[in-house]
Amino acid sequence: MPFKIGGTEIPPQTRQHLELPVARLPTQTPISLPITVIRGPEDGPILWVSAAIHGDEINGVEIVRRLMDVIHPHQLRGTVIMVPIVNVFGFIEQSRYLPDRRDLNRSFPGSSRGSLASRLASLFMKEVVSQSTHGIDLHTASDHRVNLPQIRANLEDAETHRCAIAFGAPVVIHSTTRDGSLRQAATKQGIPVLLYEAGEALRFNPQAIQLGVEGVLRVMSALGMSDHPPNAAPVPPVEARKTQWMRSPQGGILLLDVELGQPVQKREKLGVIVDVFGNVRATVKAPCDGLIIGMTQNPLVNQGDGIVHLARFPNLLG
């Protein structure tokens, strides 16, 4: 059966770069959705890999670029659909959002007659998601935060769980879907989806990028799309069912003494909040046993700000 995206047929054992028209800027400059399709000589799973649904989350852009260099049609079973920049508008503006301040990852499955975000979501669902059997969506932490490499997925689904473990991130987190998210829309179509979170916005994090590339290749191997997986992850993934954000007890200057990936025990001191005179105003302590999977990069905090994100692991150190 012919395989087409945007009306363009992609024959077996080929690589094609496509640009699907999305809209025009007020200057009439056309904006398009860049897609690279790599098809093997025989049918098999169809995996999409997408990045920059939030336009400032750019680690995934480099992950996709490196994947394009190492995935070759003649060595592939099935098809890989790679979309390095989904939110082209936000990418241009170095912004999480679209020009109307909508979050694209709260706009799925979208509508061809809706807002700009809704139309872009609808195009992505029609041309990419509906063609796929599996998906991997690449993200980073939001502005002024950083994330430990982690997979978020519905671990209750057997196929999704298998792919999540195969990826090889240090932490695999069971996560329900959010309304309007790409993962929710794809899941409703019966497509297993992994969400990879690593690093921070508007920065290339070499470790997060390398792990992301290797993780996608491991998933491809687990799906039978490749015979040459990278080495196994250096540390077996650990699974978490719950996470918890620690919030600042008061405003001030945050001085943390912990790092990403560090295990902590309940009531362990993680840092302090001081005022402009250097006086300690509050001590930050862990509310539970767990592993630090995310933290703020901004030391200036207001009361209630999220400062440390923990994956909850009872007796992690015991």
Side-chain angles (χ1 to χ4, degrees), residues 15-35:
R15 176 197 305 259
Q16 290 205 29
H17 302 289
L18 309 173
E19 294 191 25
L20 303 188
V22 176
R24 288 182 179 269
L25 298 176
T27 60
Q28 298 306 300
T29 303
I31 297 295
S32 58
L33 183 68
I35 298 177

Side-chain angles (χ1 to χ4, degrees), residues 5-56:
I5 289 184
T8 299
E9 183 174 343
I10 295 92
Q13 202 165 330
T14 61
R15 176 197 305 259
Q16 290 205 29
H17 302 289
L18 309 173
E19 294 191 25
L20 303 188
V22 176
R24 288 182 179 269
L25 298 176
T27 60
Q28 298 306 300
T29 303
I31 297 295
S32 58
L33 183 68
I35 298 177
T36 294
V37 183
I38 305 176
R39 285 196 73 189
E42 57 186 279
D43 291 338
I46 302 173
L47 172 69
W48 102 69
V49 183
S50 55
I53 275 187
H54 296 131
D56 59 350

Side-chain angles (χ1 to χ4, degrees), residues 18-303:
L18 309 173
E19 294 191 25
L20 303 188
V22 176
R24 288 182 179 269
L25 298 176
T27 60
Q28 298 306 300
T29 303
I31 297 295
S32 58
L33 183 68
I35 298 177
T36 294
V37 183
I38 305 176
R39 285 196 73 189
E42 57 186 279
D43 291 338
I46 302 173
L47 172 69
W48 102 69
V49 183
S50 55
I53 275 187
H54 296 131
D56 59 350
E57 298 183 5
I58 64 173
N59 266 341
V61 179
E62 176 62 8
I63 291 172
V64 171
R65 187 193 70 80
R66 295 189 189 185
L67 287 168
M68 290 182 194
D69 281 346
V70 298
I71 298 175
H72 303 288
H74 63 280
Q75 297 175 338
L76 179 66
R77 295 189 193 94
T79 302
V80 180
I81 306 172
M82 289 186 279
V83 189
I85 306 168
V86 182
N87 182 359
V88 181
F89 301 91
F91 183 80
I92 292 170
E93 295 295 326
Q94 301 181 32
S95 167
R96 179 182 180 89
Y97 304 105
L98 283 108
D100 58 3
R101 294 294 295 174
R102 280 183 168 87
D103 186 331
L104 180 57
N105 210 29
R106 300 294 179 268
S107 303
F108 286 89
S111 166
S112 61
R113 296 177 176 270
S115 66
L116 179 59
S118 186
R119 292 174 188 227
L120 180 53
S122 176
L123 176 68
F124 190 86
M125 291 294 296
K126 175 185 176 183
E127 300 292 350
V128 177
V129 175
S130 65
Q131 308 261 39
S132 303
T133 61
H134 297 75
I136 300 176
D137 191 27
L138 307 172
H139 288 256
T140 77
S142 59
D143 198 19
H144 302 307
R145 290 178 177 173
V146 62
N147 279 339
L148 182 75
Q150 59 197 259
I151 287 291
R152 299 180 186 177
N154 175 17
L155 301 184
E156 303 295 337
D157 177 75
E159 178 67 358
T160 306
H161 182 270
R162 182 174 78 92
C163 292
I165 297 302
F167 193 100
V171 182
V172 175
I173 300 169
H174 175 65
S175 174
T176 56
T177 57
R178 293 190 176 186
D179 289 345
S181 69
L182 169 60
R183 190 158 66 93
Q184 181 191 61
T187 299
K188 286 183 177 179
Q189 293 193 10
I191 300 172
V193 182
L194 306 183
L195 191 152
Y196 176 60
E197 284 272 4
E200 58 183 306
L202 295 176
R203 297 288 185 273
F204 278 168
N205 180 284
Q207 179 188 14
I209 291 169
Q210 184 62 30
L211 196 154
V213 172
E214 293 174 355
V216 173
L217 294 176
R218 290 191 193 103
V219 172
M220 289 176 59
S221 178
L223 294 175
M225 302 177 73
S226 169
D227 292 329
H228 304 288
N231 294 331
V235 179
V238 292
E239 296 184 32
R241 294 285 163 162
K242 293 183 179 180
T243 68
Q244 180 175 346
W245 269 102
M246 295 176 55
R247 301 201 170 272
S248 177
Q250 69 175 69
I253 300 171
L254 175 66
L255 304 175
L256 287 174
D257 299 323
V258 290
E259 299 178 349
L260 284 180
Q262 180 174 329
V264 297
Q265 291 181 309
K266 185 176 182 179
R267 291 186 290 275
E268 181 179 340
K269 178 185 173 184
L270 308 184
V272 295
I273 295 172
V274 301
D275 61 23
V276 293
F277 300 105
N279 301 309
V280 175
R281 309 299 297 183
T283 299
V284 178
K285 295 184 178 181
C288 60
D289 293 350
L291 188 76
I292 297 177
I293 60 170
M295 60 174 58
T296 182
Q297 295 284 78
N298 187 352
L300 309 182
V301 296
N302 292 299
Q303 188 174 23

